[in-house]
Amino acid sequence: MKNRKIPCSNSLFANALLSFVKTACNVLFPIITFSYASRILGVEGIGRVNFTKSFTMYFTMIAMLGMNYYGTREAAKIRERKNDLCKFVYEMLVINAISTTCAYFLLFFAMVFVHELHSYIPLLLINSISILFAGMGLEWLYQALEEYRYIAIRSVVIQIVALLLMVIFVKDKEDVAVYAVICVIASYGSYLFNFIHSRKFINLGPRPQIIEIKKHIRPILLLFSMTLSIELYTVLDSTMLGLIKDDNAVGLYSSAIKINKIVNTLITSIGVVLLPRLSYYIGLKELKKLEEVSILVYQLIFMLSTPAALGLYVLSDEIILLFSGVAFQEAVVTMKILIPIVIVIPFSVITNLQLFVPMKKEKLIIKSTCAGAITNFIFNCLLIPLFSENGAAIATVLAETVVSIICLINLKKFFDLKKIFYEYYQFWCAVIPIYIIGYLFKVVISNYIIRIIGVMFVSTIVYFGLLWIMKNTCIINFTKMLNQKFLRNIEIRKTNNKL
């Protein structure tokens, strides 16, 4: 039987835009719901949910192994051969069924034998639904096929439903479990639709004649080691805060890091589309295109992360007040400590997950992320007993900085760093007025919501205006691209009118 082709005609720009829309929806929901829930559930209630979520994340990671990255990379290479793709997906589902069973066994073992977890068992059971959904969701398949339109539409629908459920059912402090259920629906509910919708691309009915599991184990475990080291230092802070301190500390830390992580997610969403496309270029040995696309994305994330970091620092008091309420004001200092991660995380994520994964340089990733995990653990042990949530914040910044430095050293082996950091000074020059604008708005405007909107609006115009005056390459190329698209649309309309 001949392999049928599964076409993929989306442009990288369109994919990046759709990925950004999808991420924006995933970001908007946590902003709205966290703002709503934090005022109802309080610091302790939010802390309980976030502690159990961070703890369950380890077992979700075990269930997924390294499939998100391995599946996307390998499926992208064979996406135009339907029979091969169906066989590959079937093999991944078999492996995932085994890993999911192991993950549930380990979670139940921990709940029974770790005394500190007994009071959290109901919330842990709710969050454990994510273990099953993450495995069957086949999110990696849609990324490999670059089906970002479907992903974006699906995300919008699920987030709207979850938001309605939040407003209807979360009414007082006793609704912690309800809030946890809705968070799981928002994060993983769409994966159920993925499994059903996947029949459009693959046939999961009859079992393939030959099942090759063994050849996948080594690369999957290698990527799992990478994922494990990443997760250790990204969720370790909340877990250790809950075990060493209390739910109040976790709640304050969650409020402080929430917006920073959201901004990071938005910025790195531009690079999410890289993994399947770079895997495709590597498969064709088009190394020049690989370098061109990679450098473009680095310049874009630097252009966005630099003003975002300073903007968050300037507006930290207003942001905590708006999204968390007066009860979380102690989190302002923690949020300011965490500001550097807005710059370093997008760089390390793009380097490790979107560039080194398709290049099959997992060992380089493991080195940097293990160094980050060790740094995070050591400084959490030293600083959390002394400074609570602020100690966890310092440990996180140090860990992410270590990861980025190692990424920079590794990146030098493959690319000319001068090309990547070319014109980087322009971003810092253009960002200076944001601090002045923020100070002026604080003096003149009393309403904190108007201050946030005003500073963001004016700073955006001034920042990109200055970059345009300095003839920044990113801005010039983006302007040319919009002009070309506009002129092309005019030509199409003229042609249609003549017909």
Side-chain angles (χ1 to χ4, degrees):
M1 185 176 179
K2 285 183 77 176
N3 268 313
R4 290 170 57 196
K5 184 177 178 180
I6 299 177
C8 177
S9 58
N10 292 341
S11 71
L12 198 60
F13 174 75
N15 287 342
L17 185 60
L18 288 168
S19 176
F20 185 83
V21 169
K22 175 250 183 182
T23 306
C25 293
N26 290 342
V27 161
L28 190 61
F29 172 78
I31 288 177
I32 296 172
T33 54
F34 188 84
S35 177
Y36 176 80
S38 61
R39 287 167 169 79
I40 294 175
L41 303 180
V43 178
E44 195 168 323
I46 292 294
R48 288 182 67 82
V49 174
N50 279 281
F51 170 73
T52 52
K53 186 189 296 185
S54 66
F55 187 82
T56 312
M57 190 66 69
Y58 297 112
F59 301 92
T60 305
M61 174 190 59
I62 292 171
M64 285 302 298
L65 293 177
M67 290 182 198
N68 267 344
Y69 305 113
Y70 179 74
T72 303
R73 185 183 72 191
E74 299 303 315
K77 295 176 182 177
I78 58 173
R79 66 187 182 191
E80 296 182 352
R81 306 194 302 271
K82 185 173 181 179
N83 290 344
D84 293 341
L85 183 63
C86 291
K87 178 175 176 292
F88 177 76
V89 172
Y90 193 94
E91 290 165 353
M92 291 300 99
L93 287 174
V94 170
I95 295 172
N96 182 253
I98 298 169
S99 61
T100 298
T101 303
C102 293
Y104 271 114
F105 176 79
L106 292 171
L107 176 61
F108 293 148
F109 182 87
M111 287 192 294
V112 171
F113 291 101
V114 180
H115 179 74
E116 289 81 2
L117 296 177
H118 288 178
S119 63
Y120 294 99
I121 285 178
L123 290 176
L124 287 170
L125 289 174
I126 290 169
N127 279 286
S128 71
I129 299 170
S130 65
I131 298 173
L132 176 64
F133 277 17
M136 68 182 290
L138 298 175
E139 188 77 356
W140 51 266
L141 174 63
Y142 291 92
Q143 291 177 2
L145 297 176
E146 300 191 35
E147 285 291 319
Y148 294 102
R149 188 188 304 265
Y150 160 77
I151 294 173
I153 294 171
R154 176 211 67 189
S155 297
V156 171
V157 173
I158 290 294
Q159 303 297 354
I160 290 173
V161 171
L163 181 58
L164 291 173
L165 291 174
M166 180 77 66
V167 174
I168 294 170
F169 293 107
V170 179
K171 297 293 184 182
D172 55 52
K173 287 189 175 182
E174 304 303 315
D175 294 329
V176 173
V178 178
Y179 173 66
V181 170
I182 295 171
C183 286
V184 171
I185 292 172
S187 299
Y188 297 97
S190 59
Y191 288 12
L192 180 61
F193 293 100
N194 282 0
F195 189 79
I196 297 169
H197 186 258
S198 65
R199 296 186 178 185
K200 178 180 176 182
F201 308 102
I202 56 174
N203 180 15
L204 293 177
R207 172 185 154 178
Q209 291 182 350
I210 301 173
I211 299 295
E212 299 177 281
I213 300 296
K214 188 177 179 180
K215 69 177 184 179
H216 301 301
I217 299 301
R218 187 177 182 278
I220 282 178
L221 290 178
L222 192 60
L223 283 165
F224 172 67
S225 302
M226 176 198 78
T227 308
L228 176 64
S229 57
I230 292 172
E231 291 296 334
L232 275 174
Y233 76 85
T234 54
V235 298
L236 189 63
D237 38 23
S238 294
T239 306
M240 292 186 70
L241 265 175
L243 294 173
I244 296 174
K245 285 293 182 177
D246 50 33
D247 294 330
N248 189 73
V250 178
L252 291 171
Y253 183 79
S254 300
S255 175
I257 201 169
K258 173 73 72 174
I259 302 300
N260 288 350
K261 282 190 172 181
I262 284 171
V263 172
N264 283 336
T265 303
L266 278 172
I267 294 170
T268 53
S269 67
I270 297 170
V272 167
V273 300
L274 274 179
L275 181 54
R277 187 59 62 93
L278 292 185
S279 296
Y280 189 68
Y281 286 155
I282 290 170
L284 296 175
K285 296 184 179 180
E286 295 185 11
L287 300 182
K288 188 175 181 181
K289 285 187 177 181
L290 172 72
E291 183 179 21
E292 287 176 358
V293 173
S294 301
I295 290 172
L296 173 63
V297 172
Y298 277 120
Q299 290 175 344
L300 281 172
I301 63 168
F302 288 142
M303 183 176 69
L304 296 175
S305 63
T306 307
L310 187 57
L312 287 175
Y313 182 86
V314 170
L315 295 171
S316 54
D317 292 271
E318 291 83 357
I319 288 171
I320 292 293
L321 188 60
L322 176 63
F323 294 115
S324 303
V326 179
F328 289 79
Q329 279 301 102
E330 290 181 56
V332 171
V333 175
T334 312
M335 183 177 175
K336 287 183 175 179
I337 294 171
L338 287 164
I339 292 299
I341 70 173
V342 176
I343 294 176
V344 296
I345 285 182
F347 172 75
S348 60
V349 168
I350 295 298
T351 303
N352 277 339
L353 304 185
Q354 307 306 329
L355 184 60
F356 286 165
V357 167
M359 292 175 69
K360 296 187 177 182
K361 300 296 180 183
E362 291 89 353
K363 291 182 180 179
L364 295 180
I365 304 172
I366 292 171
K367 286 180 182 178
S368 64
T369 52
C370 281
I374 293 168
T375 303
N376 191 256
F377 179 77
I378 292 172
F379 282 97
N380 273 333
C381 291
L382 293 174
L383 299 177
I384 287 177
L386 297 174
F387 306 111
S388 192
E389 64 274 4
N390 291 334
I394 295 169
T396 296
V397 171
L398 291 173
E400 295 293 354
T401 303
V402 167
V403 173
S404 291
I405 290 172
I406 297 175
C407 282
L408 194 64
I409 295 169
N410 291 333
L411 191 63
K412 191 177 180 181
K413 300 173 184 176
F414 306 99
F415 295 106
D416 184 357
L417 295 184
K418 291 180 181 179
K419 292 181 180 179
I420 294 174
F421 291 96
Y422 177 67
E423 298 181 333
Y424 189 46
Y425 71 94
Q426 292 182 354
F427 303 141
W428 285 105
C429 291
V431 87
I432 293 172
I434 292 178
Y435 188 84
I436 301 170
I437 292 166
Y439 177 78
L440 292 175
F441 269 84
K442 285 177 184 288
V443 172
V444 176
I445 307 295
S446 58
N447 186 293
Y448 69 93
I449 297 177
I450 296 176
R451 279 205 302 270
I452 293 173
I453 296 171
V455 171
M456 289 176 63
F457 180 74
V458 176
S459 296
T460 300
I461 294 173
V462 172
Y463 177 72
F464 287 104
L466 287 173
L467 288 180
W468 186 76
I469 292 171
M470 288 186 282
K471 296 182 179 180
N472 178 263
T473 304
C474 279
I475 296 296
I476 298 299
N477 289 339
F478 185 70
T479 305
K480 286 180 180 178
M481 184 176 61
L482 289 178
N483 287 335
Q484 289 171 359
K485 205 168 187 65
F486 178 72
L487 293 172
R488 194 181 303 120
N489 288 335
I490 291 176
E491 289 297 325
I492 292 171
R493 287 180 182 177
K494 286 181 179 178
T495 305
N496 290 337
N497 289 334
K498 288 179 182 180
L499 294 173

